[in-house]
Amino acid sequence: MSGLLNGQNVIVMGIANERSIGWGIAKSLHAQGARLIFTYRKERSYEKLAKLLAESGIDPLLTVQCDVSDDASIEAAFGRIGAEAGVVHGVVHSLAFADKDELGGEYVDTSREGYLLAQESSAFSLVAVAKAAKPLMTAGGSIVTQTYLGAERVMRNYNVMGVAKAALEASVRYLAEDLGKYGIRVNAVSAGPIRTLAAKGVSGFNDIMNTVEEKAPLRRNVDQSEVGDATMFLISGLSRGITGEVLHVDAGFHIIA
Ligand code: NDP
């Protein structure tokens, strides 16, 4: 099979089930010939992933557990990836976490623990992953994370996660500067709302989707395959001149006042 990513080893982090944005990304990367390495946190996610891979005929190079809130887990996961895959060309960071109780009501009521948990899982995790991946990305490459408009604007109920995404997007810029000299690019995709397990935690999610359908220039929501293809573009050499960027894949919703 010939593709844009033939012979490239790409890590995909954050698939919980068939609705996960990470799964849409994995399918787009696979279609371009990438050799895929998967990380998961919960055993339940591993079971779902293994089933999805078997059903889709995708043969992973490696599947390894990685809890991004735990330095030892990151070290063990990337140690195994280095030992078994050698060079890594791409990393997809498609994960975030916040306590459901913090994703509703007023941001002013955010707890210290809730704030730190969201920041650590959703923003610092990209920094930790970039640090662990850097020594394996000896041929240069591309790191792509997933963000949301709530980083730039106040979106009702997104609260603590919006602030974590703002830190994530700023981290994309600082990491892009640090890693650019090694030929490693760092970018984010800012997807419109997509019904996933993580999205279930945000109060009023249906209203957000309805607003996009009504107001976005394309008058519809986006899906995992569209985010998957845009992420694949940022992983591939087609985007070789792009780093530190946040690419909106949201049917144009972000341009509307
Ligand atoms: P999913 O629930 O499908 O995926 C979230 C993933 O995050 C899960 O695989 C989960 O693993 C993983 N995760 C959470 N905490 C940790 C951790 N400490 N260590 C390792 N993995 C962890 O939701 P999405 O696909 O929606 O989310 C993917 C990304 O896309 C997130 O960054 C999200 O904020 C972003 N995004 C989502 C949008 C949407 O509307 N859905 C819109 C814009 C951005 P496990 O279940 O095994 O714990």
Side-chain angles (χ1 to χ4, degrees):
M1 185 172 57
S2 80
L4 290 166
L5 298 172
N6 276 345
Q8 307 236 336
N9 297 334
V10 183
I11 305 173
V12 181
M13 312 180 74
I15 298 175
N17 59 35
E18 71 287 352
R19 287 176 176 245
S20 293
I21 289 175
W23 180 238
I25 296 168
K27 286 191 284 187
S28 294
L29 295 171
H30 174 72
Q32 294 302 327
R35 287 192 293 239
L36 297 176
I37 297 159
F38 294 96
T39 76
Y40 64 94
R41 177 171 63 167
K42 296 184 189 144
E43 277 311 313
R44 181 166 171 75
S45 300
Y46 173 71
E47 285 160 23
K48 295 245 177 186
L49 174 63
K51 194 162 169 265
L52 286 172
L53 291 171
E55 283 167 4
S56 333
I58 299 177
D59 192 13
L61 201 56
L62 181 65
T63 303
V64 54
Q65 188 167 32
C66 183
D67 181 344
V68 296
S69 295
D70 176 356
D71 284 335
S73 176
I74 295 175
E75 200 181 313
F78 281 80
R80 241 192 98 192
I81 292 169
E84 295 193 31
V87 180
V88 167
H89 303 90
V91 181
V92 175
H93 173 278
S94 183
L95 49 88
F97 192 78
D99 192 331
K100 196 177 181 308
D101 293 345
E102 306 280 1
L103 300 173
E106 295 189 352
Y107 176 64
V108 72
D109 292 326
T110 302
S111 70
R112 187 181 301 273
E113 300 73 42
Y115 184 93
L116 293 174
L117 178 64
Q119 285 284 337
E120 190 212 17
S121 314
S122 315
F124 178 73
S125 62
L126 179 70
V127 186
V129 162
K131 187 173 183 177
K134 183 181 156 220
L136 306 181
M137 299 181 78
T138 48
S142 170
I143 299 174
V144 183
T145 188
Q146 301 296 317
T147 186
Y148 181 57
L149 189 59
E152 302 166 59
R153 298 199 212 152
V154 174
M155 312 288 286
R156 184 164 302 137
N157 297 324
Y158 202 59
N159 298 356
V160 75
M161 190 55 88
V163 176
K165 292 298 192 192
L168 179 72
E169 292 184 14
S171 293
V172 163
R173 293 185 281 273
Y174 280 90
L175 291 170
E177 160 55 16
D178 286 349
L179 302 184
K181 49 186 169 301
Y182 307 106
I184 302 170
R185 300 180 294 108
V186 187
N187 293 290
V189 167
S190 184
I194 296 177
R195 230 179 282 282
T196 64
L197 205 58
K200 272 194 188 154
V202 182
S203 313
F205 192 77
N206 283 345
D207 298 339
I208 300 172
M209 292 200 79
N210 290 339
T211 307
V212 171
E213 211 172 296
E214 187 190 319
K215 294 196 173 158
L218 297 181
R219 302 291 192 278
R220 63 171 178 82
N221 281 288
V222 295
D223 66 20
Q224 289 87 337
S225 76
E226 292 167 316
V227 179
D229 283 351
T231 302
M232 183 280 293
F233 160 73
L234 287 173
I235 288 288
S236 81
L238 285 182
S239 60
R240 62 197 174 278
I242 303 175
T243 194
E245 185 66 288
V246 177
L247 176 63
H248 293 85
V249 182
D250 65 348
F253 183 71
H254 70 286
I255 67 166
I256 300 298

